[in-house]
């Protein structure tokens, strides 16, 4: 079985639902609003993959990548439900859209842009939701994270197979994006989950090393039990 098929078979079907707002970690309100605003990046990442499908993507990868595009639509819906529950910061929304345009117009290959956005941006924001968000955010983050692990693996395989490179300017855009999200936090906060440097360092390690051991808590972190949710807040699983 080829590696793309193996990744496809790891997928689990789930359906987002509208949640209700709970209590987030004190001191995390502003950074969570910015992180939620970056949901506007979900559909462009799907568009990056769609564009790649019309070019030189390996035939064996096509079914998986088409499935990943559908995942991005689901992620956009799920995060939209969270935003509906908690409300949005209009200034953050506008800045996120400007960042989206910068990613869309960047000249690196679309597969490369998708890989970097998912590996070094989304893989930081999802643990942020797990560490500081309410029950709905934590559940949504866990479900999206399962998909994103497969997406990053798939995009990395294609990126390597086709011999693409990450330009310094794309890395600079990655840094600008994650710095903007984390700007409301302090670099000296003793609570690591409210410490800007903790999250920025995680993004750097994911970018340059492909892993961030300090985020290992997401593998064993507490996922909300069913009794913490109203039945209508629970995602639907196949």
């Amino acid at each position: 079985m080829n590696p793309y098929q193996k990744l496809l078979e790891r997928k689990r079907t789930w359906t987002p639902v509208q949640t209700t707002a709970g209590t987030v970690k004190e001191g995390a309100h502003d950074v969570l609003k910015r992180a939620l605003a970056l949901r506007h990046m979900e559909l462009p990442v799907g568009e990056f993959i769609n564009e790649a499908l019309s070019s030189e993507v390996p035939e064996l990868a096509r079914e998986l990548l088409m499935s990943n595009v559908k995942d991005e639509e689901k992620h956009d819906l799920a995060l939209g439900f969270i935003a509906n529950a908690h409300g949005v910061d209009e200034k953050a929304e506008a800045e996120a859209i400007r960042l989206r345009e910068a990613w869309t117009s960047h000249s690196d290959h679309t597969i490369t842009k998708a890989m970097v956005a998912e590996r070094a941006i989304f893989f930081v924001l999802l643990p942020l939701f797990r560490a500081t968000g309410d029950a709905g955010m934590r559940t949504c983050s866990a479900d999206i994270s399962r998909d994103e692990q497969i997406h990053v693996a798939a995009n990395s395989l294609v990126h390597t197979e086709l011999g693409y490179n990450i330009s310094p300017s794309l890395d600079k855009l990655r840094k600008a994006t994650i710095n903007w999200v984390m700007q409301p936090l302090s670099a000296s906060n003793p609570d690591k989950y409210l410490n800007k440097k903790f999250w920025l360092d995680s993004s750097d390690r994911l970018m340059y090393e492909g892993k961030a051991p300090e985020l290992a808590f997401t593998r064993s972190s507490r996922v909300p039990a069913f009794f913490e949710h109203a039945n209508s807040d629970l995602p639907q699983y196949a």
Side-chain angles (χ1 to χ4, degrees), residues 19-153:
T19 60
T20 53
T23 302
V24 303
K25 188 178 182 71
E26 186 176 353
H29 178 270
D30 290 343
V31 72
L32 286 171
K33 291 288 187 179
R34 293 191 180 204
L36 274 175
L38 278 194
R39 72 190 183 282
H40 295 298
M41 288 280 293
E42 290 286 350
L43 292 182
V45 166
E47 291 165 8
F48 294 160
I49 303 302
N50 262 331
E51 184 176 331
L53 285 168
S54 66
S55 59
E56 67 273 32
V57 165
E59 190 63 36
L60 291 173
R62 288 180 177 274
E63 183 181 3
L64 174 60
L65 293 178
M66 286 189 288
S67 173
N68 291 351
V69 171
K70 293 179 181 178
D71 290 341
E72 297 299 347
E73 295 170 356
K74 183 163 53 180
H75 299 172
D76 178 65
L77 179 62
L79 292 169
F81 284 150
I82 299 294
N84 289 343
H86 286 268
V88 300
D89 179 319
E90 294 299 341
K91 287 185 178 179
E93 296 285 305
E95 183 60 28
I97 289 171
R98 284 191 286 270
L99 285 166
R100 179 187 68 187
E101 296 308 313
W103 281 84
T104 300
S105 62
H106 193 279
S107 60
D108 272 21
H109 194 279
T110 52
I111 283 285
T112 301
K113 291 191 288 186
M115 180 186 71
V116 170
E118 291 179 320
R119 183 169 77 190
I121 301 293
F122 295 167
F123 267 4
V124 176
L125 302 186
L126 293 169
L128 176 71
F129 289 136
R130 297 279 288 273
T132 66
D134 67 351
M137 288 181 184
R138 295 198 301 272
T139 300
C140 179
S141 170
D143 287 326
I144 292 176
S145 292
R146 293 185 190 97
D147 291 343
E148 293 292 1
Q149 290 171 19
I150 294 169
H151 295 191
V152 170

Side-chain angles (χ1 to χ4, degrees), residues 219-238:
R219 291 201 296 269
S220 58
S221 66
R222 178 178 161 280
V223 175
F226 70 90
F227 51 78
E228 291 186 85
H229 296 269
N231 286 340
S232 59
D233 287 352
L234 292 168
Q236 305 299 310
Y237 300 104

Side-chain angles (χ1 to χ4, degrees), residues 152-169:
V152 170
N155 294 335
S156 297
L157 282 169
V158 174
H159 173 85
T160 300
E161 189 170 342
L162 297 180
Y164 297 143
N165 294 303
I166 301 170
S167 69
S169 60

